[in-house]
Amino acid sequence: MINESSEIITDVIGSLEDVGNTDVVGNLEDISNIDVDLFETDSSVSPTANIIDNSTQIQSYKASLTHVQTGVILELPTELPVIHIGKPNEKSPPDIDVSGFPHSQVVSRIHVDIIVEGDTFFLEDTGSANGTYINHTPLPTGNRHRLKNGDRIALGKEDKVSFIFDTII
C-alpha cells in the first residue's frame, strides 16, 4: 500500500515537472520521502476507544399520579403488573392508598386498577360505587383505558379526587 502511494506521488511529480510547476514539485518530493507506518498506534489510546457502544439498554418507564387538589405526586410502583388504588380494608389493602386526600369518602376500597404492560399503562374501574372518569368522561366498569400523559383521572363524581397521569422515561 505504501509502495503504491509512493508510485502515485512520483507520477504526479513527473506530470507537474512536465508542466513546469517547480514549487509544487518540490513540496511533493518532500512528502514522497516521508515514511508512514499505517499501523502505528498511540499507546496512550485504548484500541477500543473509538468503538461505539451499541449495547441495548432496557428503558425503564416511571409513572406518576399528581393529585390535582393538593399537588401531591404519587410515584406508581411499576414493578407490579397490577396497581390497586383505593382505601384500605382487611381483605386487600390497595397499593396506593388515597384515604388521606380530601373528599376520599367518594373513593371505593379498591376503586381502580392500573395495569402495567411493558411501557403501556391501562386504567380499569373495578366496579366502584361512584364511578371513574377519564378527562371528564365516564369509564364503564371493566373497560380499559390506555393512559396517556396528561390524562385526568377522577375517582368518583364531581371531580373531587382527581389525578393527572404522567410517564417519565
Side-chain angles (χ1 to χ4, degrees):
M1 177 110 180
I2 293 174
N3 289 338
E4 290 175 13
S5 297
S6 296
E7 289 173 11
I8 293 171
I9 292 173
T10 304
D11 290 344
V12 170
I13 290 171
S15 298
L16 289 172
E17 284 176 336
D18 293 342
V19 175
N21 196 339
T22 55
D23 291 339
V24 174
V25 170
N27 290 336
L28 286 174
E29 285 175 340
D30 291 342
I31 291 172
S32 69
N33 293 327
I34 296 173
D35 273 341
V36 177
D37 183 2
L38 295 176
F39 301 102
E40 180 181 338
T41 59
D42 182 354
S43 61
S44 67
V45 178
S46 165
T48 58
N50 293 327
I51 296 175
I52 297 171
D53 180 14
N54 286 330
S55 61
T56 302
Q57 294 182 359
I58 298 174
Q59 291 183 331
S60 61
Y61 286 83
K62 292 186 177 187
S64 66
L65 295 174
T66 303
H67 186 246
V68 173
Q69 290 77 14
T70 64
V72 172
I73 298 172
L74 305 171
E75 191 169 313
L76 298 179
T78 55
E79 70 277 1
L80 299 174
V82 178
I83 304 162
H84 304 293
I85 301 175
K87 296 186 298 192
N89 64 52
E90 298 84 36
K91 293 180 185 176
S92 57
D95 299 306
I96 296 182
D97 179 357
V98 297
S99 62
F101 290 107
H103 306 289
S104 64
Q105 67 275 11
V106 301
V107 178
S108 297
R109 300 293 174 203
I110 299 296
H111 196 103
V112 294
D113 286 339
I114 293 181
I115 297 98
V116 182
E117 294 179 1
D119 61 350
T120 306
F121 297 82
F122 296 93
L123 185 75
E124 184 177 326
D125 185 286
T126 59
S128 65
N130 292 309
T132 301
Y133 299 80
I134 301 291
N135 302 318
H136 307 288
T137 302
L139 178 64
T141 299
N143 285 5
R144 281 186 175 186
H145 169 79
R146 183 177 180 168
L147 290 168
K148 298 175 289 306
N149 284 341
D151 275 350
R152 186 181 186 110
I153 303 165
L155 306 179
K157 299 173 186 168
E158 299 179 27
D159 205 32
K160 291 184 178 180
V161 180
S162 301
F163 297 90
I164 302 296
F165 176 79
D166 190 28
T167 58
I168 303 164
I169 299 176

